[in-house]
Amino acid sequence: MAVDLSTLVEAVQEASDVRLTGAVSRVVGLTIESTGPAVRVGDLVEVHRPPAEPLVAEVVGFRERSAILVPLGSAEGVAPGSLVVSRRRPLRVTVGKALLSRVLDGLGRPADGRGPVPAESSYPVDRPAPDPLRRPRISQALSVGVRAIDGLLTCAKGQRIGIFAGSGVGKSTLLGMMARGTSADVVVVALVGERGREVRDFIERDLEGAMDRAVVVAATSDQPAMVRVKAAFVATAIAEFFRDQGLDVLLMMDSLTRFSYAQREIGLAAGEPPATRGYPPSVFALLPRLLERAGTAERGSITGFYTVLVDGDDLNEPIADASRAILDGHVVLSRSIAERQHYPAIDVLASISRLMAEVAEPSHKEAAARVRRLLAAYRDVEDLVHIGAYVRGSNPVADRALDARPAIDRFLQQGVFERSSFRETVQALADLAAWYGVEP
């Protein structure tokens, strides 16, 4: 039987009689300063505050001889001189196949009232990304059950894609559709900074029928910034466990923007200077550390979908811009399309999958190119059509696009609980492209 040496080392450390201790010297904003103990960045400590339970905090830096701690809970009850005890290890999460259908908090603890999760092992929350030279090349498509994506923005096993949208345009609904319709073996969902009322709605409504193969990690907006940051890493570590079992995992995170907001709070509280639009440098250093952990590995894969909130629908704001540079494609949800009650409100022409060319069949790519050309031709004359200034016969491609528009809309629109297999989607796309016969 295989032995997890990291788990044994952890058990030995926790069983040691030697305690490394220090004392609180200062509390400022979100941070606690401690004189001692001997710790490293990333280590966990316990801040004692009797009669309450000890407060767990993480070491994020040092100022002269003091350690800077960010608590993973409320700092109420902490006083000058409070005892600080090192746990001598970073945060780890319990993993195992028993996680399926469970809901966890931002630190990986059960939050669904169903008791502890039987452990097979534990994974460090902060792990390095797979060696880039040992990653298998991406070569297989992954169906998500959404026609607009499978047909025109085909994603691959191990790809990382951003879903860019303003508020209230249908991001959560789209994630639920993908969770129910995907061909992946396991779905891991991270709800980072969500409103409290939306967590149960998402689990019971959007994940209906998919919870038996899903794991949900939720850290609501009222929880400490460090818990919200850790929720993203906990979900990624859980996805890595299932990937290491040789499974294909769909990792969905809502949202990358709120993850960045939480890290901004931590960075500014720790004394970092604000850089781009108030974001400290640590935010832009943390994004690739998180995103690069998804992808292919020697066994299994993690395909990541990360929602990105864009303020005022500005796709060039700092987090959106930085994320787009790291990710392997982006799906843009349009408010104007949603206002026409067209769902999912995907702007196909503004979206791209950088790996579709690697995994789609030639006939599929040709059909997608033809339909995209029809969409582009329609957009070019749309304003003229609305004011009655377009004259048929002046542009043959535009004429075909006008005729094709109702059929294309029927293809792109999809009911929330409507499922479409990858084969059905590709066939419908081919029929649509062949019927209107526009060369790519």
Side-chain angles (χ1 to χ4, degrees):
M1 182 177 65
V3 178
D4 186 346
L5 293 179
S6 62
T7 303
L8 295 177
V9 170
E10 178 186 342
V12 170
Q13 288 180 335
E14 291 185 346
S16 173
D17 291 333
V18 178
R19 292 205 310 173
L20 302 177
T21 64
V24 170
S25 58
R26 189 181 183 195
V27 177
V28 180
L30 300 180
T31 63
I32 299 172
E33 293 187 18
S34 165
T35 304
V39 287
R40 301 165 296 182
V41 170
D43 281 355
L44 295 181
V45 300
E46 294 179 354
V47 181
H48 289 246
R49 45 176 185 171
E53 291 290 320
L55 171 66
V56 179
E58 181 176 303
V59 180
V60 299
F62 300 92
R63 184 177 290 118
E64 296 178 352
R65 296 182 178 274
S66 297
I68 301 173
L69 317 175
V70 174
L72 301 176
S74 171
E76 185 177 356
V78 176
S82 292
L83 179 66
V84 179
V85 180
S86 172
R87 285 190 175 180
R88 295 185 291 186
R89 61 176 177 85
L91 181 65
R92 299 179 69 91
V93 60
T94 297
V95 292
K97 293 181 180 178
L99 284 172
L100 295 176
S101 80
R102 298 300 301 268
V103 181
L104 312 176
D105 69 9
L107 302 180
R109 301 171 300 197
D112 51 12
R114 293 167 52 190
V117 178
E120 292 182 23
S121 180
S122 69
Y123 269 37
V125 167
D126 195 356
R127 305 176 73 204
D131 185 335
L133 297 181
R134 299 183 68 180
R135 287 182 187 256
R137 292 191 62 186
I138 290 176
S139 59
Q140 296 181 4
L142 178 79
S143 173
V144 295
V146 178
R147 283 193 296 270
I149 297 176
D150 285 348
L152 298 167
L153 304 165
T154 311
C155 66
K157 293 180 181 179
Q159 188 172 358
R160 301 154 309 163
I161 298 180
I163 299 176
F164 292 75
S167 58
V169 187
K171 295 183 300 300
S172 297
T173 302
L174 179 59
L175 292 181
M177 291 175 67
M178 292 193 293
R180 291 188 300 273
T182 183
S183 60
D185 302 308
V186 175
V187 177
V188 179
V189 182
L191 303 176
V192 181
E194 282 288 337
R195 303 175 187 89
R197 69 168 180 82
E198 292 182 338
V199 173
R200 186 168 181 178
D201 285 348
F202 184 85
I203 294 169
E204 296 184 359
R205 180 193 62 207
D206 297 319
L207 290 183
E208 182 182 355
M211 272 302 292
D212 59 340
R213 59 169 175 165
V215 184
V216 177
V217 178
T220 53
S221 59
D222 61 312
Q223 295 186 352
M226 183 60 82
V227 175
R228 283 176 272 146
V229 168
K230 290 303 179 187
F233 285 98
V234 164
T236 303
I238 291 170
E240 288 170 332
F241 163 75
F242 287 107
R243 179 199 63 195
D244 293 345
Q245 309 304 305
L247 301 176
D248 293 318
V249 182
L250 179 63
L251 171 63
M252 302 191 296
M253 190 172 298
D254 186 15
S255 72
L256 202 60
T257 306
R258 294 191 180 111
F259 164 83
S260 301
Y261 288 168
Q263 180 58 33
R264 177 173 63 182
E265 291 179 36
I266 294 169
L268 294 176
E272 285 188 72
T276 308
R277 292 198 196 176
Y279 290 97
S282 64
V283 172
F284 302 101
L286 204 60
L287 282 172
R289 277 179 50 196
L290 175 69
L291 299 176
E292 286 291 345
R293 287 170 61 178
T296 56
E298 294 180 8
R299 299 180 62 204
S301 67
I302 300 175
T303 304
F305 278 84
Y306 304 86
T307 68
V308 181
L309 287 166
V310 286
D311 293 335
D313 297 331
D314 177 12
L315 294 175
N316 295 314
E317 63 93 27
I319 300 304
D321 201 40
S323 303
R324 195 164 49 242
I326 302 167
L327 297 167
D328 305 315
H330 53 272
V331 174
V332 177
L333 301 187
S334 166
R335 191 174 300 279
S336 63
I337 293 176
E339 288 170 351
R340 299 199 298 266
Q341 298 303 301
H342 178 126
Y343 292 103
I346 297 174
D347 186 340
V348 173
L349 295 179
S351 307
I352 189 171
S353 170
R354 296 178 183 172
L355 292 172
M356 180 175 178
E358 300 289 331
V359 298
E361 296 292 332
S363 59
H364 180 183
K365 289 185 285 187
E366 181 180 348
R370 291 184 177 191
V371 173
R372 289 179 75 99
R373 187 177 178 188
L374 287 170
L375 286 168
Y378 179 85
R379 181 167 293 184
D380 287 342
V381 300
E382 185 175 14
D383 291 340
L384 294 175
V385 171
H386 287 165
I387 64 174
Y390 178 72
V391 178
R392 278 186 175 270
S394 58
N395 184 334
V397 177
D399 291 345
R400 289 173 177 173
L402 288 171
D403 294 334
R405 184 67 190 195
I408 293 176
D409 279 346
R410 285 194 298 271
F411 174 82
L412 295 177
Q413 289 178 295
Q414 190 169 340
V416 173
F417 293 98
E418 179 186 353
R419 298 191 180 185
S420 180
S421 70
F422 192 78
R423 179 178 297 179
E424 292 170 342
T425 295
V426 173
Q427 184 59 55
L429 184 70
D431 293 344
L432 189 62
W435 180 262
Y436 293 100
V438 179
E439 293 300 324

